[in-house]
Amino acid sequence: MTHNTQSCRRFRRCWIIFGWNWLKGEVVMSPVGSAAQALRHIERLLGEGGFLPGDQLPTERELVATTGFGRSAVREALRHLAETGMVTRHVGRGTFLSSPSVPAFEMSSIPGPADIMAARLSIEPALMPAVVLAASAADLANLEHILHEGENAPSASEFEQWDIRFHHGLAVATRNEVLIGISRHLIRCREQPIWGSLKSRTFTTGIRDAYCVEHAAIFHAIEDRDPAAAAKHMREHLVHVQHTLTDGTR
């Protein structure tokens, strides 16, 4: 085995360990139905087909032929891979395997809900001036879409995903990679089983509706370019979440 071949295999292992696992920190809703099956096929192709970072993937037409799924399913699978950072897509050029990303933070222990909420209360209200300053029309449209989806989430797990997307969407709107990285780390913290269990136990449609009203207040303050109001609404919302989770542990 040549040195280059060994290096390539180590690089692929690095992608699997760091890139794929770290994608759990990305806020992306997974495809369903035939798109999910197409996604699994393409992921197998990337993992077993000898692709290295920078290599070009087959075209949509070729993937349709090899997967047996429709073009819309393949396109949705590729969109998911692009949103999670596994591939990059260039108009007129094609789709390419991305380089692996190493997590910005490592957790030496599992944080509890109290620590998570204390961190969020310190960080997220202070984020609002940067969001108000940098949020684009596209950011606002995305946040509004997330708001509407969250209002209709029927279960704790589905609402949690839209809740995560809303809060991370605010960080993304800052265009600040450090702040976005902190948001990803908070998401990793929220993936711990104890957090999910507590959110499930405290979930009701009434709580969901109240949180959505609070999200809307934050959104409208950002839309009005009012950083003080956005920070105030964010703090009030997080205090409500904190109290709800605390009551749920009694």
Side-chain angles (χ1 to χ4, degrees):
M1 184 183 297
T2 67
H3 173 72
N4 285 342
T5 301
Q6 291 174 329
S7 297
C8 288
R9 290 190 175 179
R10 282 197 297 270
F11 200 97
R12 286 177 61 196
R13 284 198 297 271
C14 179
W15 171 261
I16 293 171
I17 294 170
F18 290 122
W20 285 20
N21 287 346
W22 184 58
L23 294 181
K24 293 179 181 179
E26 298 287 348
V27 186
V28 179
M29 301 295 285
S30 297
V32 296
S34 59
Q37 297 175 53
L39 174 63
R40 286 194 291 272
H41 177 94
I42 296 171
E43 286 177 337
R44 275 199 307 275
L45 176 67
L46 295 178
E48 301 170 2
F51 286 86
L52 296 174
D55 285 352
Q56 185 172 4
L57 272 64
T59 64
E60 283 187 8
R61 185 188 299 274
E62 291 169 334
L63 288 171
V64 166
T66 57
T67 64
F69 297 107
R71 191 154 193 163
S72 61
V74 168
R75 186 168 294 164
E76 175 67 12
L78 291 174
R79 180 199 62 76
H80 175 83
L81 293 174
E83 287 187 355
T84 56
M86 187 181 291
V87 303
T88 55
R89 309 188 75 185
H90 301 282
V91 177
R93 291 180 53 207
T95 303
F96 300 81
L97 185 63
S98 300
S99 298
S101 298
V102 178
F105 303 92
E106 291 295 337
M107 288 186 287
S108 59
S109 61
I110 297 175
D115 286 342
I116 294 172
M117 288 309 307
R120 294 184 67 189
L121 275 162
S122 297
I123 295 166
E124 294 190 52
L127 213 67
M128 292 304 100
V131 178
V132 167
L133 181 66
S136 66
D139 292 322
L140 294 176
N142 179 55
L143 290 167
E144 189 169 27
H145 168 71
I146 292 170
L147 283 174
H148 292 322
E149 293 294 337
E151 289 170 355
N152 298 314
S155 67
S157 59
E158 289 186 48
F159 180 74
E160 177 73 357
Q161 289 302 310
W162 289 111
D163 183 64
I164 287 173
R165 291 188 74 167
F166 178 76
H167 287 272
H168 187 66
L170 296 172
V172 169
T174 67
R175 304 290 187 277
N176 184 312
E177 287 300 322
V178 175
L179 298 177
I180 295 169
I182 291 172
S183 177
R184 288 194 181 112
H185 184 64
L186 287 171
I187 291 168
R188 291 181 64 205
C189 293
R190 291 173 67 172
E191 289 175 343
Q192 306 306 323
I194 187 172
W195 176 272
S197 175
L198 189 53
K199 289 298 290 287
S200 294
R201 291 206 310 269
T202 58
F203 177 82
T204 66
T205 55
I207 289 291
R208 178 202 64 194
D209 294 345
Y211 287 172
C212 287
V213 169
E214 293 162 2
H215 284 173
I218 297 165
F219 170 77
H220 291 307
I222 294 168
E223 193 176 38
D224 293 339
R225 304 299 175 178
D226 188 338
K232 172 179 175 291
H233 291 310
M234 176 61 80
R235 178 165 293 280
E236 291 173 346
H237 168 59
L238 293 176
V239 167
H240 184 194
V241 174
Q242 186 180 49
H243 288 168
T244 300
L245 296 179
T246 301
D247 292 342
T249 61
R250 292 174 182 169

